[in-house]
Amino acid sequence: MDLKGKVAVVTGGASGIGLAAARAFLDKGSKVVIGDYNEEGGKEAEKELSGYGDVSFVKVDVSSEQEVKNLIAEAVDRYGRLDVMFNNAGIGIQGMTHELSYEDYKKVININQDGVFFGSKHAIPEMRKAGGGAIINTASILGSVGEPTAFAYNASKGAVNLMTKSVALQYAEDKIRVNAVAPGYVESGMVSREALGEYYDNLVGKHPIGRLGEPEEIAHAVIFLAENEFTTGITLLVDGGYTAQ
Ligand SMILES: NC(=O)C1=CN([C@@H]2O[C@H](COP(=O)(O)OP(=O)(O)OC[C@H]3O[C@@H](n4cnc5c(N)ncnc54)[C@H](O)[C@@H]3O)[C@@H](O)[C@H]2O)C=CC1
Ligand SMILES: CC(=O)C(C)=O
């Protein structure tokens, strides 16, 4: 798919992987709507990226179906169509399972998993009208590899992998392709030396390539998944060799 002139919605676009992806879509000539629940960060991103193309910010909590529906309606109102939906917003809450509250468990599932459901559900009718499109979901290496203390996160990202395949199969004949990207650990709002202290070096050691990923490296894969018209139903690992071990 030629992304020039196309319309892409990027959730979690105020920071990290989403911000890099928004920039990458603008570089391809797409119009971009950033959805994020961080209003200040979203407005900053809109300002920062406005030099690269047509971009606007909409405040959204992806765990609310109504808000995701509004986000997509707003994008279509502004730009007339929807071609790419990048369901990327996500959070992690650490904790051993026997200590994890049901509230925290539900919060992770609501954002990381339900957010993908809502983003897909409400993007599909618009993509059908546009004659096709690409849905891309952010999964994780932790969708296929267990991590102690990441019970809810593991569950949500494992679900994203299979939701991706299910939706891909359902809408292939509508020319809607559905793929996921599964990053290894990537420098971002979630992962930084400041936030992780000594554990940061431990994480570096788990990536054979000898460093953590950069958000732009994940954005590059997202663009591939948006453009490549023979790719659907996959989870593309971009993980510095983490899962090869
Ligand atoms: N950084 C990493 O090492 C990895 C991250 N991921 C996934 O990548 C995605 C992006 O995360 P990063 O860029 O790393 O982190 P980040 O923290 O820099 O960005 C996440 C963005 O999502 C937004 N967000 C969170 N909850 C939201 C909600 N309910 N509604 C709307 N926006 C919300 C945040 O405000 C933030 O702007 C997430 O799905 C995360 O699980 C996956 C693998 C590795
Ligand atoms: C840190 C993180 O969010 C991963 C690896 O999914």
Side-chain angles (χ1 to χ4, degrees), residues 184-215:
Y185 284 83
V186 173
E187 304 272 358
S188 69
M190 268 191 188
V191 176
S192 65
R193 188 176 282 283
E194 297 75 57
L196 297 173
E198 279 175 18
Y199 189 60
Y200 182 95
D201 292 320
N202 179 287
L203 283 181
V204 169
K206 292 182 175 180
H207 295 73
I209 224 147
R211 62 174 175 83
L212 304 192
E214 294 294 336

Side-chain angles (χ1 to χ4, degrees), residues 9 12 21 30 65 71 77 93 109 122 132 139 149 228 242:
V9 169
S30 304
E65 178 167 9
L71 166 70
D77 267 6
I93 297 178
I109 299 294
H122 294 289
T149 80
N228 192 290
Y242 190 109

Side-chain angles (χ1 to χ4, degrees), residues 11-189:
T11 71
S15 170
I17 292 168
L19 180 61
R23 163 84 201 267
F25 280 113
L26 289 171
D27 286 345
K28 286 282 177 181
S30 304
K31 294 162 187 157
V32 174
V33 176
I34 289 174
D36 204 293
Y37 73 179
N38 174 356
E39 192 161 16
E40 198 186 325
K43 284 182 177 162
E44 245 172 65
E46 183 186 62
K47 198 167 154 203
E48 182 189 325
L49 296 181
S50 62
Y52 300 100
D54 196 340
V55 57
S56 47
F57 167 69
V58 175
K59 187 173 190 297
V60 65
D61 178 348
V62 299
S63 67
S64 156
E65 178 167 9
Q66 190 56 49
E67 289 191 26
V68 174
K69 196 174 171 189
N70 292 347
L71 166 70
I72 290 169
E74 187 82 25
V76 173
D77 267 6
R78 281 184 200 184
Y79 298 119
R81 56 190 287 141
L82 177 68
D83 303 285
V84 178
M85 183 74 200
F86 183 28
N87 293 311
N88 166 72
I91 60 161
I93 297 178
Q94 298 284 319
M96 295 292 283
T97 305
H98 71 282
E99 291 167 340
L100 185 67
S101 70
Y102 186 43
E103 283 63 39
D104 281 352
Y105 168 81
K106 277 194 296 190
K107 192 169 178 195
V108 173
I109 299 294
N110 287 162
I111 294 173
N112 296 6
Q113 182 176 332
D114 300 353
V116 170
F117 167 48
F118 300 146
S120 306
K121 176 177 171 179
H122 294 289
I124 286 160
E126 294 304 332
M127 289 181 178
R128 277 180 156 164
K129 285 184 214 158
I135 297 173
I136 300 143
N137 303 320
T138 303
S140 168
I141 49 169
L142 301 186
S144 52
V145 172
E147 170 79 16
T149 80
F151 171 75
Y153 192 83
N154 275 153
S156 69
K157 295 299 186 180
V160 168
N161 284 337
L162 276 170
M163 287 160 79
T164 299
K165 288 181 203 261
S166 175
V167 182
L169 293 175
Q170 291 173 69
Y171 299 98
E173 66 181 21
D174 293 304
K175 297 192 170 53
I176 300 172
R177 294 175 297 100
V178 188
N179 294 289
V181 62
Y185 284 83
V186 173
E187 304 272 358
S188 69

